[in-house]
Amino acid sequence: MQDVDTLREELIGAVDTAADAGALEDLRVSALGRKGRITELMKGLGAVEPDKRRETGQALNRLKDEVQAAIDTRKTALDSVALDAKLLEERIDVTLPARPEARGSVHPITQTIDELVTIFGEMGFTVAEGPHIESDYYNFTALNIPPEHPARQEQDTFYLPPDESGTPRVLRTHTSPVQIRTMETVTPPIRIIVPGRTFRSDHDATHSPMFHQVEGLVIDKTSHMGHLKGCLTDFCRAFFGVDDLPLRFRPSYFPFTEPSAEVDIGCSRKGGEFRIGAGDDWLEILGSGMVHPRVLAHCGIDPTEYQGFAFGMGIERIAMLKYGIPDLRPFYDSDLRWMRHYGFMPLSVPTISGGIN
Ligand code: PHE
């Protein structure tokens, strides 16, 4: 049998000088693989004289371990050389100035959502979210809109094929299903806003099949219509930056609130100039009301113990009013000229202290 020491010297010498991971792997196979040299020697142990067998076996086992250890060490060294080479090759000079043409701006929708979150955040609201693809139950039934209800027709719903369990699905037509998802899982008090995408099959200068809404929900034991009025008045004044902005609450109807109110803000159109603030005209901007007891009950909340209010408004609409954007369609055109005109500086993040406007 070949001298173990000579073999060790030969193999470890080869391992230590292997040029790359491929060569190292070839060496491993030729020494320790199924037909490798050490493996073959071990297979041949049966033919060794019985009194030398034990000693030779131990020597071969040691050799095997030593060669494996040498391979591991060499592999670590080769890997680190390869990583250094890669890092050197992919080096980026971060001290180079940014390319001027790559400067982006914040989309008015994003800016408006940041503003909403800032104002309502200051009032103690947190942000909740939900899926765009909703079950018929969350979008309608749980909100007290049963299958035959006429409100279903008014919403121009996009219907989707049912899921595997046969549940009918829709693209959510409003953010109100997130009210249900929240009330099902959170024990009141609840104080959330839900900014997000909504979908209706409608398309013209003032309607887009995809648009954004923000929902608000407050549930506790004492909140009443007066709190709803105060909350929305404070919000509108902060958002539009008009301290004495008048609000008008008109009785209305939503299946999921009772009583319900639509809210108008004061405006004027003198000499062709549109202005938000005390004036001789009104503009509708949101829907609201006290959460219907049946909706609370659907979510496992006892309506004799808990109550609260909800509201919802279109984000494009309030953004257009605040920033004087005349048409809805370019919001989604990704036209850089429009973005440069109506977009916001990336670092002008709205804050209560620094200003919302
Ligand atoms: N979900 C209603 C809509 O899309 C808005 C709304 C929300 C009204 C909450 C009242 C309370 O028109």
Side-chain angles (χ1 to χ4, degrees):
M1 179 179 279
Q2 188 181 5
D3 179 30
V4 170
D5 289 333
T6 324
L7 184 56
R8 173 189 300 111
E9 212 167 295
E10 183 198 330
L11 287 176
I12 293 194
V15 165
D16 286 348
T17 53
D20 53 37
L24 197 60
E25 176 60 10
D26 290 346
L27 268 170
R28 190 190 63 77
V29 173
S30 75
L32 305 169
R34 245 175 350 117
K35 294 219 165 76
R37 288 163 73 187
I38 299 178
T39 318
E40 292 293 344
L41 286 176
M42 287 174 130
K43 282 188 205 156
L45 271 177
V48 176
E49 294 160 43
D51 54 337
K52 283 209 167 160
R53 201 177 290 158
R54 188 183 151 89
E55 196 189 321
T56 315
Q58 283 174 343
L60 285 175
N61 265 326
R62 262 199 312 279
L63 174 63
K64 194 176 129 191
D65 292 346
E66 281 164 1
V67 170
Q68 184 61 57
I71 290 176
D72 292 345
T73 310
R74 183 68 185 151
K75 176 136 185 23
T76 311
L78 285 173
D79 283 351
S80 115
V81 170
L83 181 63
D84 285 348
K86 194 164 183 295
L87 285 174
L88 205 61
E89 191 190 324
E90 295 177 0
R91 192 160 99 167
I92 302 170
D93 185 352
V94 292
T95 64
L96 285 175
R99 288 203 212 104
E101 71 271 25
R103 193 172 61 207
S105 48
V106 175
H107 194 281
I109 291 294
T110 307
Q111 174 76 14
T112 305
I113 292 176
D114 287 349
E115 293 172 5
L116 292 166
V117 170
T118 305
I119 299 170
F120 282 113
E122 191 75 5
M123 295 188 206
F125 285 76
T126 54
V127 174
E129 288 182 313
H132 296 164
I133 296 176
E134 263 301 1
S135 71
D136 181 275
Y137 176 78
Y138 282 111
N139 196 77
F140 295 121
T141 314
L143 287 159
N144 197 29
I145 314 177
E148 318 71 35
H149 200 286
R152 290 203 177 201
Q153 268 70 57
E154 279 162 28
Q155 297 227 347
D156 300 310
T157 311
F158 284 113
Y159 290 94
L160 297 172
D163 69 10
E164 313 84 63
S165 65
T167 309
R169 291 183 308 169
V170 300
L171 288 179
R172 69 178 183 191
T173 58
H174 48 181
T175 40
S176 302
V178 186
Q179 285 189 28
I180 306 297
R181 291 182 174 275
T182 306
M183 287 191 278
E184 275 182 350
T185 51
V186 180
T187 316
I190 294 171
R191 205 182 285 185
I192 54 156
I193 57 164
V194 185
R197 291 189 172 180
T198 47
F199 308 85
R200 292 185 197 180
S201 178
D202 202 354
H203 197 191
D204 59 33
T206 54
H207 294 90
S208 152
M210 187 284 293
F211 59 107
H212 297 76
Q213 281 192 342
V214 61
E215 189 85 9
L217 176 71
V218 172
I219 301 291
D220 54 28
K221 293 185 178 175
T222 53
S223 285
H224 52 65
M225 200 77 189
H227 295 124
L228 178 157
K229 271 188 91 170
C231 173
L232 293 176
T233 304
D234 281 355
F235 163 72
C236 289
R237 290 180 174 172
F239 179 78
F240 290 106
V242 180
D243 288 345
D244 60 351
L245 180 65
L247 269 73
R248 183 170 76 172
F249 289 75
R250 274 182 297 106
S252 182
Y253 172 79
F254 298 101
F256 32 91
T257 49
E258 183 60 35
S260 305
E262 271 173 336
V263 181
D264 303 336
I265 53 171
C267 65
S268 59
R269 303 169 209 263
K270 281 213 184 72
E273 198 208 347
F274 174 77
R275 231 175 39 79
I276 290 174
D280 50 10
D281 211 350
W282 296 98
L283 207 65
E284 180 199 322
I285 63 157
L286 60 87
S288 66
M290 298 303 296
V291 177
H292 198 294
R294 214 174 286 157
V295 174
L296 294 171
H298 268 303
C299 305
I301 294 181
D302 181 357
T304 62
E305 193 178 351
Y306 289 102
Q307 59 188 38
F309 60 87
F311 54 88
M313 67 192 115
I315 294 181
E316 282 81 351
R317 181 163 168 79
I318 59 172
M320 287 165 78
L321 287 170
K322 178 168 175 178
Y323 294 113
I325 304 174
D327 193 342
L328 176 71
R329 287 168 291 196
F331 269 89
Y332 320 107
D333 283 348
S334 302
D335 184 333
L336 275 179
R337 292 164 304 175
W338 185 88
M339 270 301 287
R340 284 201 187 103
H341 186 76
Y342 290 110
F344 292 82
M345 292 271 295
L347 292 178
S348 70
V349 179
T351 61
I352 290 293
S353 54
I356 297 293
N357 301 284

